[in-house]
Amino acid sequence: NGLGRTPPMGWSTWNYFQCGVNENLLKEAADAMVDLGFLKAGYRYLNLDDCWEGTRDKNGYINTDPKTFPGGIKALSDYAHSKGLLFGIYSDAGRLTCAKRIGSLGYEDKDAQRFAEWGIDFLKYDNCHNDGSPERIRYEKMGRALNETGRPIFYSICEWGKSKPFLWAKQVGNSWRTTLDIRASWASITSIIQRQQMITKYAGPGGWNDPDMLQVGNGYLTLDEQKSHFAIWAALKAPLILGFDIRNPPADAMELVLNEEIIAVNQDPLGISVSIVHRTLFYDIWTGPLSDGYVAVLFNRGEVPRVITLHFASHCNLEGEIMVRDLWERADKGVFRTSPKTWCNDFKAYRWHAS
């Protein structure tokens, strides 16, 4: 469909609010995305997840829950668009959604038509309460229905990595979930990172591996854990979909996710994910090319500070003089030859250019 040339950036209701959603919340979130600088930083999608659905009318078309969304989805979409945002919605390739609302199975054409009429720009399509038929068949059917509407709608396939979607979903949608749902815990985040190691090559412009929405700002994650989480998602070219209460963002989380240099890595037009080039019991080194250089993530998985040595020649096939920049500090670290300086920190993300 021509969309997703870079990974989508935005905010979703699910991680923080789950089913506690209503139209006033969405309008307040839209205001906050603009007023607090998220839109300016690149977060364009305002996504309403599950629990908006009401009943179907006599012709089979879905309506919104009249108690929580009395003004309807079209009015919310128009409000988001008036702010310069794009508006996303949720449905499910099953009889019911994960929250046991009405799903789209068997109503793909009607729901796609309704989404287009509402001005929807993004669809997250989940996999609960399905009929047991192959994921590819069910997701292809909605993909065709979306494209037939003529409206460009980013299609986020959320089948939890069950059928190895990285092998087929790029011909169907714009991103595909690679794991079960993320939790706001370090154990969940590190487990998901491990699952990305063998599939990074499948990400690219128009189709992205999706390790699920960000949990920065949620739970009991330390500042270093949040930095690691955000930087690795960015370098993996994963969708950057925020999940905290965007109306009242935690100050430390807000500073992290508005780091324009980390965002630039995610939005680099070359669209190549980092890959793991070195792994020990305690740390990983991930590297990958950018349109104007290279990026490295030195990821300490342990609980104590650790020395991680980055070898330009063996880890990234670079020789000569290399200018190194620390993206978290937003500071140049100088020019080095192929024997690099050793950094001693809990976590660093570096970017470098051939001199």
mmCIF file with all atom_site columns, all heavy atoms in Angstrom, residues 123-140:
data_model
loop_
_atom_site.group_PDB
_atom_site.id
_atom_site.type_symbol
_atom_site.label_atom_id
_atom_site.label_alt_id
_atom_site.label_comp_id
_atom_site.label_asym_id
_atom_site.label_entity_id
_atom_site.label_seq_id
_atom_site.pdbx_PDB_ins_code
_atom_site.Cartn_x
_atom_site.Cartn_y
_atom_site.Cartn_z
_atom_site.occupancy
_atom_site.B_iso_or_equiv
_atom_site.pdbx_formal_charge
_atom_site.auth_seq_id
_atom_site.auth_comp_id
_atom_site.auth_asym_id
_atom_site.auth_atom_id
_atom_site.pdbx_PDB_model_num
ATOM 1   N N   . LEU A 1 123 ? -4.576  0.430   11.342 1.00 0.00 ? 123 LEU A N   1
ATOM 2   C CA  . LEU A 1 123 ? -5.367  -0.643  11.950 1.00 0.00 ? 123 LEU A CA  1
ATOM 3   C C   . LEU A 1 123 ? -4.427  -1.640  12.616 1.00 0.00 ? 123 LEU A C   1
ATOM 4   O O   . LEU A 1 123 ? -3.567  -2.238  11.965 1.00 0.00 ? 123 LEU A O   1
ATOM 5   C CB  . LEU A 1 123 ? -6.204  -1.384  10.904 1.00 0.00 ? 123 LEU A CB  1
ATOM 6   C CG  . LEU A 1 123 ? -6.935  -2.632  11.434 1.00 0.00 ? 123 LEU A CG  1
ATOM 7   C CD1 . LEU A 1 123 ? -7.979  -2.259  12.481 1.00 0.00 ? 123 LEU A CD1 1
ATOM 8   C CD2 . LEU A 1 123 ? -7.557  -3.437  10.291 1.00 0.00 ? 123 LEU A CD2 1
ATOM 9   N N   . LYS A 1 124 ? -4.604  -1.830  13.923 1.00 0.00 ? 124 LYS A N   1
ATOM 10  C CA  . LYS A 1 124 ? -3.969  -2.946  14.637 1.00 0.00 ? 124 LYS A CA  1
ATOM 11  C C   . LYS A 1 124 ? -4.975  -4.083  14.641 1.00 0.00 ? 124 LYS A C   1
ATOM 12  O O   . LYS A 1 124 ? -6.100  -3.942  15.130 1.00 0.00 ? 124 LYS A O   1
ATOM 13  C CB  . LYS A 1 124 ? -3.611  -2.537  16.068 1.00 0.00 ? 124 LYS A CB  1
ATOM 14  C CG  . LYS A 1 124 ? -3.080  -3.697  16.909 1.00 0.00 ? 124 LYS A CG  1
ATOM 15  C CD  . LYS A 1 124 ? -2.853  -3.274  18.364 1.00 0.00 ? 124 LYS A CD  1
ATOM 16  C CE  . LYS A 1 124 ? -2.521  -4.472  19.242 1.00 0.00 ? 124 LYS A CE  1
ATOM 17  N NZ  . LYS A 1 124 ? -2.362  -4.077  20.680 1.00 0.00 ? 124 LYS A NZ  1
ATOM 18  N N   . TYR A 1 125 ? -4.563  -5.245  14.118 1.00 0.00 ? 125 TYR A N   1
ATOM 19  C CA  . TYR A 1 125 ? -5.487  -6.360  13.916 1.00 0.00 ? 125 TYR A CA  1
ATOM 20  C C   . TYR A 1 125 ? -5.014  -7.567  14.723 1.00 0.00 ? 125 TYR A C   1
ATOM 21  O O   . TYR A 1 125 ? -4.020  -8.199  14.396 1.00 0.00 ? 125 TYR A O   1
ATOM 22  C CB  . TYR A 1 125 ? -5.544  -6.679  12.422 1.00 0.00 ? 125 TYR A CB  1
ATOM 23  C CG  . TYR A 1 125 ? -6.785  -7.415  11.979 1.00 0.00 ? 125 TYR A CG  1
ATOM 24  C CD1 . TYR A 1 125 ? -8.048  -7.032  12.421 1.00 0.00 ? 125 TYR A CD1 1
ATOM 25  C CD2 . TYR A 1 125 ? -6.695  -8.467  11.071 1.00 0.00 ? 125 TYR A CD2 1
ATOM 26  C CE1 . TYR A 1 125 ? -9.183  -7.701  11.988 1.00 0.00 ? 125 TYR A CE1 1
ATOM 27  C CE2 . TYR A 1 125 ? -7.822  -9.134  10.627 1.00 0.00 ? 125 TYR A CE2 1
ATOM 28  C CZ  . TYR A 1 125 ? -9.062  -8.745  11.094 1.00 0.00 ? 125 TYR A CZ  1
ATOM 29  O OH  . TYR A 1 125 ? -10.198 -9.403  10.661 1.00 0.00 ? 125 TYR A OH  1
ATOM 30  N N   . ASP A 1 126 ? -5.736  -7.875  15.802 1.00 0.00 ? 126 ASP A N   1
ATOM 31  C CA  . ASP A 1 126 ? -5.324  -8.852  16.801 1.00 0.00 ? 126 ASP A CA  1
ATOM 32  C C   . ASP A 1 126 ? -5.768  -10.268 16.415 1.00 0.00 ? 126 ASP A C   1
ATOM 33  O O   . ASP A 1 126 ? -6.367  -10.486 15.356 1.00 0.00 ? 126 ASP A O   1
ATOM 34  C CB  . ASP A 1 126 ? -5.875  -8.433  18.165 1.00 0.00 ? 126 ASP A CB  1
ATOM 35  C CG  . ASP A 1 126 ? -4.899  -8.648  19.301 1.00 0.00 ? 126 ASP A CG  1
ATOM 36  O OD1 . ASP A 1 126 ? -4.043  -9.539  19.200 1.00 0.00 ? 126 ASP A OD1 1
ATOM 37  O OD2 . ASP A 1 126 ? -4.997  -7.919  20.316 1.00 0.00 ? 126 ASP A OD2 1
ATOM 38  N N   . ASN A 1 127 ? -5.549  -11.243 17.336 1.00 0.00 ? 127 ASN A N   1
ATOM 39  C CA  . ASN A 1 127 ? -5.695  -12.654 16.968 1.00 0.00 ? 127 ASN A CA  1
ATOM 40  C C   . ASN A 1 127 ? -6.462  -13.475 18.005 1.00 0.00 ? 127 ASN A C   1
ATOM 41  O O   . ASN A 1 127 ? -6.358  -14.699 18.019 1.00 0.00 ? 127 ASN A O   1
ATOM 42  C CB  . ASN A 1 127 ? -4.301  -13.261 16.759 1.00 0.00 ? 127 ASN A CB  1
ATOM 43  C CG  . ASN A 1 127 ? -4.323  -14.556 15.971 1.00 0.00 ? 127 ASN A CG  1
ATOM 44  O OD1 . ASN A 1 127 ? -5.225  -14.799 15.182 1.00 0.00 ? 127 ASN A OD1 1
ATOM 45  N ND2 . ASN A 1 127 ? -3.323  -15.404 16.194 1.00 0.00 ? 127 ASN A ND2 1
ATOM 46  N N   . CYS A 1 128 ? -7.233  -12.831 18.856 1.00 0.00 ? 128 CYS A N   1
ATOM 47  C CA  . CYS A 1 128 ? -7.969  -13.565 19.885 1.00 0.00 ? 128 CYS A CA  1
ATOM 48  C C   . CYS A 1 128 ? -9.259  -14.182 19.336 1.00 0.00 ? 128 CYS A C   1
ATOM 49  O O   . CYS A 1 128 ? -9.831  -13.690 18.357 1.00 0.00 ? 128 CYS A O   1
ATOM 50  C CB  . CYS A 1 128 ? -8.329  -12.631 21.045 1.00 0.00 ? 128 CYS A CB  1
ATOM 51  S SG  . CYS A 1 128 ? -6.921  -12.148 22.063 1.00 0.00 ? 128 CYS A SG  1
ATOM 52  N N   . HIS A 1 129 ? -9.705  -15.242 19.998 1.00 0.00 ? 129 HIS A N   1
ATOM 53  C CA  . HIS A 1 129 ? -11.021 -15.848 19.740 1.00 0.00 ? 129 HIS A CA  1
ATOM 54  C C   . HIS A 1 129 ? -11.253 -16.116 18.254 1.00 0.00 ? 129 HIS A C   1
ATOM 55  O O   . HIS A 1 129 ? -12.348 -15.873 17.723 1.00 0.00 ? 129 HIS A O   1
ATOM 56  C CB  . HIS A 1 129 ? -12.131 -14.954 20.299 1.00 0.00 ? 129 HIS A CB  1
ATOM 57  C CG  . HIS A 1 129 ? -11.991 -14.672 21.764 1.00 0.00 ? 129 HIS A CG  1
ATOM 58  N ND1 . HIS A 1 129 ? -12.193 -15.622 22.741 1.00 0.00 ? 129 HIS A ND1 1
ATOM 59  C CD2 . HIS A 1 129 ? -11.621 -13.539 22.423 1.00 0.00 ? 129 HIS A CD2 1
ATOM 60  C CE1 . HIS A 1 129 ? -11.982 -15.090 23.933 1.00 0.00 ? 129 HIS A CE1 1
ATOM 61  N NE2 . HIS A 1 129 ? -11.623 -13.837 23.775 1.00 0.00 ? 129 HIS A NE2 1
ATOM 62  N N   . ASN A 1 130 ? -10.205 -16.614 17.585 1.00 0.00 ? 130 ASN A N   1
ATOM 63  C CA  . ASN A 1 130 ? -10.352 -16.911 16.156 1.00 0.00 ? 130 ASN A CA  1
ATOM 64  C C   . ASN A 1 130 ? -10.933 -18.303 15.940 1.00 0.00 ? 130 ASN A C   1
ATOM 65  O O   . ASN A 1 130 ? -11.177 -19.054 16.891 1.00 0.00 ? 130 ASN A O   1
ATOM 66  C CB  . ASN A 1 130 ? -9.000  -16.746 15.449 1.00 0.00 ? 130 ASN A CB  1
ATOM 67  C CG  . ASN A 1 130 ? -7.957  -17.729 15.947 1.00 0.00 ? 130 ASN A CG  1
ATOM 68  O OD1 . ASN A 1 130 ? -8.028  -18.924 15.664 1.00 0.00 ? 130 ASN A OD1 1
ATOM 69  N ND2 . ASN A 1 130 ? -6.985  -17.230 16.715 1.00 0.00 ? 130 ASN A ND2 1
ATOM 70  N N   . ASP A 1 131 ? -11.140 -18.668 14.679 1.00 0.00 ? 131 ASP A N   1
ATOM 71  C CA  . ASP A 1 131 ? -11.788 -19.942 14.360 1.00 0.00 ? 131 ASP A CA  1
ATOM 72  C C   . ASP A 1 131 ? -10.808 -21.070 14.105 1.00 0.00 ? 131 ASP A C   1
ATOM 73  O O   . ASP A 1 131 ? -11.213 -22.161 13.682 1.00 0.00 ? 131 ASP A O   1
ATOM 74  C CB  . ASP A 1 131 ? -12.705 -19.770 13.144 1.00 0.00 ? 131 ASP A CB  1
ATOM 75  C CG  . ASP A 1 131 ? -11.941 -19.330 11.886 1.00 0.00 ? 131 ASP A CG  1
ATOM 76  O OD1 . ASP A 1 131 ? -10.702 -19.138 11.970 1.00 0.00 ? 131 ASP A OD1 1
ATOM 77  O OD2 . ASP A 1 131 ? -12.580 -19.179 10.835 1.00 0.00 ? 131 ASP A OD2 1
ATOM 78  N N   . GLY A 1 132 ? -9.520  -20.824 14.349 1.00 0.00 ? 132 GLY A N   1
ATOM 79  C CA  . GLY A 1 132 ? -8.527  -21.871 14.154 1.00 0.00 ? 132 GLY A CA  1
ATOM 80  C C   . GLY A 1 132 ? -7.999  -21.977 12.750 1.00 0.00 ? 132 GLY A C   1
ATOM 81  O O   . GLY A 1 132 ? -7.104  -22.791 12.485 1.00 0.00 ? 132 GLY A O   1
ATOM 82  N N   . SER A 1 133 ? -8.514  -21.179 11.830 1.00 0.00 ? 133 SER A N   1
ATOM 83  C CA  . SER A 1 133 ? -7.997  -21.207 10.462 1.00 0.00 ? 133 SER A CA  1
ATOM 84  C C   . SER A 1 133 ? -6.625  -20.547 10.422 1.00 0.00 ? 133 SER A C   1
ATOM 85  O O   . SER A 1 133 ? -6.266  -19.767 11.310 1.00 0.00 ? 133 SER A O   1
ATOM 86  C CB  . SER A 1 133 ? -8.969  -20.512 9.516  1.00 0.00 ? 133 SER A CB  1
ATOM 87  O OG  . SER A 1 133 ? -9.157  -19.158 9.882  1.00 0.00 ? 133 SER A OG  1
ATOM 88  N N   . PRO A 1 134 ? -5.819  -20.811 9.393  1.00 0.00 ? 134 PRO A N   1
ATOM 89  C CA  . PRO A 1 134 ? -4.453  -20.280 9.342  1.00 0.00 ? 134 PRO A CA  1
ATOM 90  C C   . PRO A 1 134 ? -4.416  -18.753 9.429  1.00 0.00 ? 134 PRO A C   1
ATOM 91  O O   . PRO A 1 134 ? -5.256  -18.073 8.826  1.00 0.00 ? 134 PRO A O   1
ATOM 92  C CB  . PRO A 1 134 ? -3.928  -20.774 7.999  1.00 0.00 ? 134 PRO A CB  1
ATOM 93  C CG  . PRO A 1 134 ? -4.706  -22.028 7.729  1.00 0.00 ? 134 PRO A CG  1
ATOM 94  C CD  . PRO A 1 134 ? -6.078  -21.748 8.276  1.00 0.00 ? 134 PRO A CD  1
ATOM 95  N N   . GLU A 1 135 ? -3.456  -18.268 10.194 1.00 0.00 ? 135 GLU A N   1
ATOM 96  C CA  . GLU A 1 135 ? -3.322  -16.814 10.353 1.00 0.00 ? 135 GLU A CA  1
ATOM 97  C C   . GLU A 1 135 ? -3.193  -16.124 9.014  1.00 0.00 ? 135 GLU A C   1
ATOM 98  O O   . GLU A 1 135 ? -3.819  -15.080 8.768  1.00 0.00 ? 135 GLU A O   1
ATOM 99  C CB  . GLU A 1 135 ? -2.113  -16.482 11.236 1.00 0.00 ? 135 GLU A CB  1
ATOM 100 C CG  . GLU A 1 135 ? -2.367  -16.593 12.728 1.00 0.00 ? 135 GLU A CG  1
ATOM 101 C CD  . GLU A 1 135 ? -2.352  -18.017 13.225 1.00 0.00 ? 135 GLU A CD  1
ATOM 102 O OE1 . GLU A 1 135 ? -1.877  -18.908 12.475 1.00 0.00 ? 135 GLU A OE1 1
ATOM 103 O OE2 . GLU A 1 135 ? -2.800  -18.246 14.359 1.00 0.00 ? 135 GLU A OE2 1
ATOM 104 N N   . ARG A 1 136 ? -2.370  -16.659 8.133  1.00 0.00 ? 136 ARG A N   1
ATOM 105 C CA  . ARG A 1 136 ? -2.124  -15.972 6.862  1.00 0.00 ? 136 ARG A CA  1
ATOM 106 C C   . ARG A 1 136 ? -3.417  -15.741 6.084  1.00 0.00 ? 136 ARG A C   1
ATOM 107 O O   . ARG A 1 136 ? -3.627  -14.668 5.507  1.00 0.00 ? 136 ARG A O   1
ATOM 108 C CB  . ARG A 1 136 ? -1.131  -16.760 6.016  1.00 0.00 ? 136 ARG A CB  1
ATOM 109 C CG  . ARG A 1 136 ? -0.789  -16.070 4.703  1.00 0.00 ? 136 ARG A CG  1
ATOM 110 C CD  . ARG A 1 136 ? 0.416   -16.681 4.023  1.00 0.00 ? 136 ARG A CD  1
ATOM 111 N NE  . ARG A 1 136 ? 0.758   -15.941 2.818  1.00 0.00 ? 136 ARG A NE  1
ATOM 112 C CZ  . ARG A 1 136 ? 1.872   -16.135 2.121  1.00 0.00 ? 136 ARG A CZ  1
ATOM 113 N NH1 . ARG A 1 136 ? 2.761   -17.026 2.533  1.00 0.00 ? 136 ARG A NH1 1
ATOM 114 N NH2 . ARG A 1 136 ? 2.109   -15.427 1.036  1.00 0.00 ? 136 ARG A NH2 1
ATOM 115 N N   . ILE A 1 137 ? -4.295  -16.728 6.075  1.00 0.00 ? 137 ILE A N   1
ATOM 116 C CA  . ILE A 1 137 ? -5.557  -16.586 5.335  1.00 0.00 ? 137 ILE A CA  1
ATOM 117 C C   . ILE A 1 137 ? -6.397  -15.460 5.929  1.00 0.00 ? 137 ILE A C   1
ATOM 118 O O   . ILE A 1 137 ? -6.929  -14.601 5.202  1.00 0.00 ? 137 ILE A O   1
ATOM 119 C CB  . ILE A 1 137 ? -6.328  -17.916 5.353  1.00 0.00 ? 137 ILE A CB  1
ATOM 120 C CG1 . ILE A 1 137 ? -5.582  -18.971 4.518  1.00 0.00 ? 137 ILE A CG1 1
ATOM 121 C CG2 . ILE A 1 137 ? -7.752  -17.717 4.839  1.00 0.00 ? 137 ILE A CG2 1
ATOM 122 C CD1 . ILE A 1 137 ? -6.196  -20.345 4.582  1.00 0.00 ? 137 ILE A CD1 1
ATOM 123 N N   . ARG A 1 138 ? -6.533  -15.454 7.260  1.00 0.00 ? 138 ARG A N   1
ATOM 124 C CA  . ARG A 1 138 ? -7.376  -14.442 7.893  1.00 0.00 ? 138 ARG A CA  1
ATOM 125 C C   . ARG A 1 138 ? -6.794  -13.037 7.753  1.00 0.00 ? 138 ARG A C   1
ATOM 126 O O   . ARG A 1 138 ? -7.529  -12.070 7.530  1.00 0.00 ? 138 ARG A O   1
ATOM 127 C CB  . ARG A 1 138 ? -7.572  -14.784 9.375  1.00 0.00 ? 138 ARG A CB  1
ATOM 128 C CG  . ARG A 1 138 ? -8.507  -15.970 9.591  1.00 0.00 ? 138 ARG A CG  1
ATOM 129 C CD  . ARG A 1 138 ? -8.723  -16.305 11.045 1.00 0.00 ? 138 ARG A CD  1
ATOM 130 N NE  . ARG A 1 138 ? -7.557  -16.936 11.652 1.00 0.00 ? 138 ARG A NE  1
ATOM 131 C CZ  . ARG A 1 138 ? -6.821  -16.399 12.609 1.00 0.00 ? 138 ARG A CZ  1
ATOM 132 N NH1 . ARG A 1 138 ? -7.127  -15.195 13.098 1.00 0.00 ? 138 ARG A NH1 1
ATOM 133 N NH2 . ARG A 1 138 ? -5.784  -17.039 13.111 1.00 0.00 ? 138 ARG A NH2 1
ATOM 134 N N   . TYR A 1 139 ? -5.475  -12.915 7.850  1.00 0.00 ? 139 TYR A N   1
ATOM 135 C CA  . TYR A 1 139 ? -4.861  -11.588 7.760  1.00 0.00 ? 139 TYR A CA  1
ATOM 136 C C   . TYR A 1 139 ? -4.794  -11.087 6.320  1.00 0.00 ? 139 TYR A C   1
ATOM 137 O O   . TYR A 1 139 ? -4.905  -9.879  6.071  1.00 0.00 ? 139 TYR A O   1
ATOM 138 C CB  . TYR A 1 139 ? -3.497  -11.602 8.435  1.00 0.00 ? 139 TYR A CB  1
ATOM 139 C CG  . TYR A 1 139 ? -3.634  -11.536 9.942  1.00 0.00 ? 139 TYR A CG  1
ATOM 140 C CD1 . TYR A 1 139 ? -3.804  -12.708 10.690 1.00 0.00 ? 139 TYR A CD1 1
ATOM 141 C CD2 . TYR A 1 139 ? -3.663  -10.328 10.607 1.00 0.00 ? 139 TYR A CD2 1
ATOM 142 C CE1 . TYR A 1 139 ? -3.976  -12.656 12.063 1.00 0.00 ? 139 TYR A CE1 1
ATOM 143 C CE2 . TYR A 1 139 ? -3.836  -10.264 11.982 1.00 0.00 ? 139 TYR A CE2 1
ATOM 144 C CZ  . TYR A 1 139 ? -3.994  -11.430 12.702 1.00 0.00 ? 139 TYR A CZ  1
ATOM 145 O OH  . TYR A 1 139 ? -4.178  -11.366 14.056 1.00 0.00 ? 139 TYR A OH  1
ATOM 146 N N   . GLU A 1 140 ? -4.634  -11.991 5.375  1.00 0.00 ? 140 GLU A N   1
ATOM 147 C CA  . GLU A 1 140 ? -4.669  -11.580 3.970  1.00 0.00 ? 140 GLU A CA  1
ATOM 148 C C   . GLU A 1 140 ? -6.053  -11.041 3.597  1.00 0.00 ? 140 GLU A C   1
ATOM 149 O O   . GLU A 1 140 ? -6.167  -10.082 2.819  1.00 0.00 ? 140 GLU A O   1
ATOM 150 C CB  . GLU A 1 140 ? -4.305  -12.750 3.065  1.00 0.00 ? 140 GLU A CB  1
ATOM 151 C CG  . GLU A 1 140 ? -2.821  -13.070 3.036  1.00 0.00 ? 140 GLU A CG  1
ATOM 152 C CD  . GLU A 1 140 ? -2.497  -14.227 2.116  1.00 0.00 ? 140 GLU A CD  1
ATOM 153 O OE1 . GLU A 1 140 ? -3.426  -15.024 1.814  1.00 0.00 ? 140 GLU A OE1 1
ATOM 154 O OE2 . GLU A 1 140 ? -1.323  -14.354 1.702  1.00 0.00 ? 140 GLU A OE2 1
#
